[in-house]
């Protein structure tokens, strides 16, 4: 089992980068384990990260012009709270003249990130109706919701993509997780 001694340290005068790893204690399996988590997730309050590249199997299978492709990122457990979502296009998608994405959940597919072009590097967050106001929360009580990203290729087919990569970062917490929080004594 890894310990804090197993994690290399960084000189104190070096700025953290988004992909630098931070040790976090994970007790979700009943035992305390140390996991390395990217600094961008910990420092900016995200709990989940999903990468989708241009050669994703679901995108490659879309050979019909002007046909949206919906990709399920995860099943959302009942009684969860989503308070932020960020779309980060790290490499612009090429091979199409237009391509927009939406991020949301089953009941509101663009509720977290409304239409955003992925043709160039960009960062977009919280533009959907569910969490577009500062400190707005989307409380999900039903167990039939999935976290979704929808690709809208315009008049072309998604299998024509030749490059591109994006990340979807989400802060999603189960309400029950708050029960185990201890307060300062």
């Amino acid at each position: 089992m890894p310990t804090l001694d197993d994690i290399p340290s960084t000189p104190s005068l070096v700025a953290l980068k988004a992909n630098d790893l931070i040790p976090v204690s994970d007790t979700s399996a009943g035992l305390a384990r140390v996991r390395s988590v990217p600094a961008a997730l910990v420092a900016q309050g995200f709990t989940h990260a999903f990468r989708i590249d241009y050669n994703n199997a679901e995108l490659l299978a879309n050979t019909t012009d002007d046909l949206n492709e919906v990709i399920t990122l995860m099943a959302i457990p009942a009684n969860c709270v989503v308070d932020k979502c960020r779309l980060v296009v790290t490499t612009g998608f090429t091979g199409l003249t237009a391509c927009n994405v939406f991020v949301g959940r089953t009941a509101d597919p663009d509720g977290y990130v409304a239409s955003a072009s992925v043709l160039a590097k960009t960062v977009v967050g919280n533009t959907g109706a569910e969490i577009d106001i500062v400190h707005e929360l989307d409380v999900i009580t039903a167990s039939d919701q999935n976290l979704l990203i929808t690709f809208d290729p315009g008049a072309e087919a998604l299998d024509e993509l030749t490059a591109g990569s994006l990340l979807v970062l989400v802060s999603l917490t189960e309400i029950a997780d708050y029960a185990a929080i201890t307060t300062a004594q």
Side-chain angles (χ1 to χ4, degrees), residues 5-31:
D5 293 331
D6 298 326
I7 300 171
S9 60
T10 305
S12 60
L13 297 178
V14 176
L16 280 176
K17 295 181 181 176
N19 62 346
D20 286 341
L21 300 177
I22 295 176
V24 174
S25 175
D26 176 5
T27 59
S28 63
L31 302 170

Side-chain angles (χ1 to χ4, degrees), residues 91-125:
T91 303
F93 285 72
T94 60
L96 302 178
T97 56
C99 188
N100 293 325
V101 298
F102 317 89
V103 181
R105 59 183 171 92
T106 307
D108 190 355
D110 64 350
Y112 302 149
V113 174
S115 182
S117 174
V118 293
L119 297 182
K121 287 183 181 182
T122 191
V123 177
V124 179

Side-chain angles (χ1 to χ4, degrees), residues 59-129:
L59 298 179
L60 290 175
N62 184 320
T63 60
T64 304
D65 288 351
D66 198 21
L67 179 64
N68 288 0
E69 184 65 40
V70 179
I71 298 173
T72 299
L73 300 175
M74 69 176 286
I76 300 174
N79 301 309
C80 281
V81 176
V82 174
D83 67 345
K84 63 179 156 182
C85 178
R86 183 175 297 161
L87 171 73
V88 181
V89 180
T90 57
T91 303
F93 285 72
T94 60
L96 302 178
T97 56
C99 188
N100 293 325
V101 298
F102 317 89
V103 181
R105 59 183 171 92
T106 307
D108 190 355
D110 64 350
Y112 302 149
V113 174
S115 182
S117 174
V118 293
L119 297 182
K121 287 183 181 182
T122 191
V123 177
V124 179
N126 296 359
T127 60

